Amino acid sequence: MKKILIVGGVAGGATAAARLRRLDEKSQIIMFERGEYISFANCGLPYYIGNVIENRDALLVQTVEGMKKRFNLDIRNFSEVVSIDAEKMEVTVNNLSTGETYVEKYDELILSPGASPIKPPITGIADADNIFTLRNIPDTDAIKSFVDTKNPKEAVVVGGGFIGIEMAENLSERGVKVHLVEMLNQVMAPIDFEMAQIVHKHMVEKGVDLILGDGVDSFEENGRVVKLKSGRKINSDITILSIGIRPENELAKSAGLELGDRGHIRVNENFETSKPHIYAVGDAIETQGLIYGEASSIALASPANRQARIVADRINGIDSKYKGVLGTSVAKVFDLTVSSTGYNEKKLKNMGKNDFKSIHIHPLSNAGYYPTARPLDLKLIFEIPSGRVLGAQAIGEVGVEKRIDVIATAIAAKMTVRDLQELELSYAPPFSSAKDPVNMAGYVASNILDGIEAVSVMEIDDIVEKGGYLIDVRTVGEFMAGSMPGAVNIPLDELRDRLDEIPKDKDIYINCQVGLRGYLAVRILKNNGINAVNVDGGYKSYRQLKFGVEEDKTENTPTLSGIACTDNSDVLKKKKS
């Protein structure tokens, strides 16, 4: 009979314990948790604070007594494992309720210590009683109690990751004016900048004061004033720090386990650490990426669950292996759903990769003639010349995550963009189109593999400035309402009759609204001996990239914060008159 110790509960530890017992009725399984709760829904915590989830008990996936009884486990909460002796195969435990310290032997040890929120030593932070982090049930109780009893009017959320975004939304929904401060130039690191711009615009429209490229310098007046590095000062009744997390690795250090560059516990494909009979799972570990096998640490519940199951299998002689992590994620941002999988362009470039392309499409979520159709923005990243799918990002109101889930499956299956064309996906007007957005992304990407060149909207301003000739093939009305700077309007349906207007001594670039008419125009020009390049994603992607597109209510003229699209409204007025 084996004696198996598990340090930590929630997604990693609790899942491992349950799987171990399902596979083996005889082994002694002891789980240590230094807190009160062994299994709770981390991802639901912001929504309980926002009163979306009204029943606190709904967050408790399993209670200590319930799990003990169902799985015949020895669960010791309020018990902190303070050190590991890997040679003697024993741990030292501190009973936090009694103060007793004792030693427990093991045959196998599973570490699931998780990660802790970063709370940097910012000036004034120690004097404040209104600054919180959100990681567990006690954190949640403290924040909710503060909001319920103090009725804050203004809040500062520091950090634009998942928790920061979700807290900004839930505080806003409770009537709190939210200032979100992010040091980087975008929120939500898993998506690329031009996709994040869609999120930025939506958050601003929902009343969030979005402060990008700035950070907290200090807290003043017992936390009631937040001073930013730019010098700006913001009044704050409550501040949520969502700067990031660091792996809980003190136990690993005590055992002499090998750590990664950022302090995560290094494991192999079987989740074995550098010491025999010690495994590790969850937010504290460094594993590998699914496609390139690079060192990767992703704090998500789904990978932690799979990892825990594999460890339980390995301990019981089942040859399960972990293939790697993609980081597939989804988040609600007010009315939008934001989802991604695989590699984004930032990560690929940081890895030194340049053999890839990306495309943007802007289809509807389902058949356009059906009343529930909503815009969908989808970015697909793929390898050149193989066409292997590397990643995807999507944003919209409905139908977002199901497209990303399909693409995540395609990546795991090592499929190419040509395979995406062939996928037979479910279709009925309320749910999709005969060509699903995933199919459409496959078609557009395959066209690039077949020689239809495309250029990113991020490059087009520079290209035009250097002499590139940009043709906008939208209708006159669309063009007059706003266009990319330097564009010349030749509507698609007039293109064949106006070929002589196209200069022979310039590089030709084509844009339309979302890319489809641009593709048709490129085909027309190529078949008439004129080489042309399509602008990926069209004018819609360009406007999204620039951020701050607002409709002038009197003139209905699109303008941009900082960088303006060409305003053709005066010409339009003359034409109408």
Side-chain angles (χ1 to χ4, degrees):
M1 181 179 73
K2 290 181 180 179
K3 185 176 184 180
I4 305 168
L5 306 186
I6 302 171
V7 180
V10 200
T15 299
R19 176 67 173 170
L20 284 166
R21 180 57 75 215
R22 290 197 298 271
L23 295 174
D24 175 13
E25 275 290 312
K26 303 298 182 183
S27 289
Q28 181 183 8
I29 302 170
I30 305 174
M31 182 163 65
F32 301 98
E33 171 56 54
R34 67 186 172 195
E36 180 180 358
Y37 305 97
I38 58 165
S39 184
F40 57 90
N42 302 67
C43 301
L45 302 182
Y47 300 100
Y48 174 63
I49 294 169
N51 287 335
V52 177
I53 297 171
E54 297 179 354
N55 181 6
R56 180 180 180 276
D57 289 343
L59 298 172
L60 305 179
V61 180
Q62 272 282 12
T63 64
V64 172
E65 290 306 315
M67 197 163 183
K68 275 184 178 180
K69 185 174 182 180
R70 176 163 295 180
F71 295 103
N72 187 26
L73 303 172
D74 182 354
I75 299 177
R76 304 177 189 178
N77 57 339
F78 299 113
S79 296
E80 182 177 12
V81 177
V82 294
S83 65
I84 301 169
D85 190 324
E87 303 305 319
K88 294 182 180 179
M89 296 178 64
E90 62 184 28
V91 302
T92 301
V93 185
N94 183 15
N95 185 321
L96 300 177
S97 298
T98 66
E100 173 196 6
T101 297
Y102 62 94
V103 171
E104 198 75 60
K105 291 277 190 180
Y106 65 82
D107 296 309
E108 307 289 351
L109 175 63
I110 302 173
L111 302 181
S112 180
S116 57
I118 295 172
K119 195 172 183 179
I122 300 171
T123 301
I125 196 170
D127 301 322
D129 61 1
N130 65 339
I131 299 176
F132 301 88
T133 58
L134 179 59
R135 187 68 182 170
N136 52 36
I137 294 288
D139 293 342
T140 307
D141 289 340
I143 296 171
K144 192 169 192 305
S145 174
F146 190 97
V147 176
D148 289 346
T149 59
K150 304 291 187 182
N151 296 311
K153 299 295 185 288
E154 282 191 273
V156 171
V157 175
V158 185
F162 287 95
I163 295 295
I165 294 284
E166 289 165 354
M167 281 305 305
E169 176 184 348
N170 281 279
L171 288 172
S172 293
E173 296 291 357
R174 293 198 59 174
V176 182
K177 172 63 180 178
V178 175
H179 310 269
L180 190 145
V181 180
E182 170 55 55
M183 182 74 77
L184 300 177
N185 66 347
Q186 69 166 85
V187 300
M188 305 194 77
I191 62 177
D192 285 310
F193 176 75
E194 76 280 11
M195 297 295 285
Q197 294 285 55
I198 305 169
V199 181
H200 297 161
K201 180 174 184 289
H202 186 65
M203 292 181 70
V204 171
E205 289 172 342
K206 289 296 183 177
V208 175
D209 175 25
L210 187 60
I211 305 165
L212 300 174
D214 206 350
V216 176
D217 178 73
S218 62
F219 294 99
E220 301 176 355
E221 300 180 23
N222 296 321
R224 267 57 188 179
V225 174
V226 182
K227 182 183 177 183
L228 304 183
K229 294 185 181 298
S230 62
R232 178 181 173 185
K233 293 186 177 183
I234 308 170
N235 293 327
S236 179
D237 300 314
I238 180 174
T239 296
I240 308 294
L241 296 182
S242 181
I243 301 170
I245 57 175
R246 59 167 58 95
E248 294 275 10
N249 59 15
E250 291 305 313
L251 268 181
K253 289 178 180 177
S254 75
L257 301 183
E258 184 180 350
L259 302 179
D261 294 339
R262 296 192 294 143
H264 294 82
I265 305 168
R266 281 191 170 150
V267 297
N268 62 16
E269 62 185 2
N270 304 323
F271 300 101
E272 296 166 327
T273 67
S274 57
K275 298 286 185 178
H277 303 288
I278 302 179
Y279 301 82
V281 299
D283 296 354
I285 72 168
E286 177 185 279
T287 181
Q288 72 277 358
L290 178 63
I291 297 177
Y292 294 114
E294 78 290 351
S296 183
S297 52
I298 295 178
L300 291 171
S302 179
N305 273 280
R306 295 202 315 277
Q307 293 160 10
R309 182 183 177 93
I310 290 170
V311 166
D313 286 352
R314 301 295 306 181
I315 289 173
N316 282 277
I318 299 172
D319 189 23
S320 296
K321 291 190 187 304
Y322 193 63
K323 295 180 180 179
V325 66
L326 275 178
T328 305
S329 63
V330 63
K332 178 181 180 295
V333 185
F334 293 95
D335 298 334
L336 293 181
T337 302
V338 183
S339 187
S340 68
T341 188
Y343 299 80
N344 58 34
E345 286 199 50
K346 295 189 300 284
K347 183 169 183 177
L348 288 168
K349 289 173 182 176
N350 288 338
M351 291 171 63
K353 303 289 184 183
N354 54 25
D355 57 341
F356 67 90
K357 292 280 188 182
S358 65
I359 59 101
H360 297 75
I361 61 171
H362 308 283
L364 293 173
S365 58
N366 51 281
Y369 54 81
Y370 194 84
T372 60
R374 294 292 182 271
L376 185 70
D377 296 284
L378 175 61
K379 177 176 183 176
L380 183 71
I381 304 169
F382 54 100
E383 195 174 62
I384 296 292
S386 71
R388 182 178 179 181
V389 183
L390 301 178
Q393 302 154 38
I395 301 175
E397 294 180 37
V398 293
V400 173
E401 70 284 356
K402 80 172 186 176
R403 271 70 191 217
I404 292 298
D405 286 343
V406 169
I407 295 173
T409 304
I411 295 173
K414 300 182 180 180
M415 296 173 70
T416 71
V417 295
R418 299 190 193 281
D419 295 317
L420 296 185
Q421 299 177 95
E422 303 300 325
L423 291 178
E424 186 176 323
L425 303 174
S426 58
Y427 160 61
F431 306 106
S432 184
S433 301
K435 291 179 185 174
D436 187 85
V438 173
N439 300 131
M440 293 168 64
Y443 287 125
V444 175
S446 296
N447 284 336
I448 291 177
L449 293 181
D450 293 336
I452 299 296
E453 296 180 69
V455 65
S456 168
V457 292
M458 291 182 280
E459 303 173 58
I460 194 62
D461 284 339
D462 188 53
I463 287 171
V464 172
E465 186 177 329
K466 291 179 179 178
Y469 194 81
L470 178 62
I471 301 175
D472 188 322
V473 296
R474 295 176 300 156
T475 65
V476 172
E478 289 174 291
F479 179 78
M480 290 297 177
S483 65
M484 297 184 197
V488 175
N489 183 219
I490 304 179
L492 176 63
D493 293 339
E494 300 176 17
L495 187 60
R496 290 183 180 87
D497 298 325
R498 298 174 62 179
L499 295 176
D500 58 347
E501 297 179 27
I502 300 173
K504 306 298 187 292
D505 59 343
K506 292 182 179 290
D507 295 325
I508 307 301
Y509 299 86
I510 307 294
N511 89 270
C512 63
Q513 187 68 15
V514 297
L516 175 58
R517 283 174 288 175
Y519 164 68
L520 297 175
V522 168
R523 285 289 192 185
I524 290 170
L525 293 178
K526 278 184 174 292
N527 288 331
N528 281 277
I530 301 172
N531 190 48
V533 177
N534 198 11
V535 177
D536 175 41
Y539 184 63
K540 183 172 183 179
S541 284
Y542 186 82
R543 288 180 62 183
Q544 289 170 348
L545 172 68
K546 299 300 183 181
F547 176 50
V549 179
E550 300 172 354
E551 296 296 334
D552 183 307
K553 301 304 179 185
T554 56
E555 303 295 343
N556 195 32
T557 304
T559 59
L560 291 161
S561 302
I563 307 174
C565 294
T566 300
D567 177 0
N568 302 316
S569 56
D570 288 340
V571 180
L572 181 59
K573 289 176 195 172
K574 291 176 183 177
K575 191 175 183 68
K576 287 180 177 177
S577 63

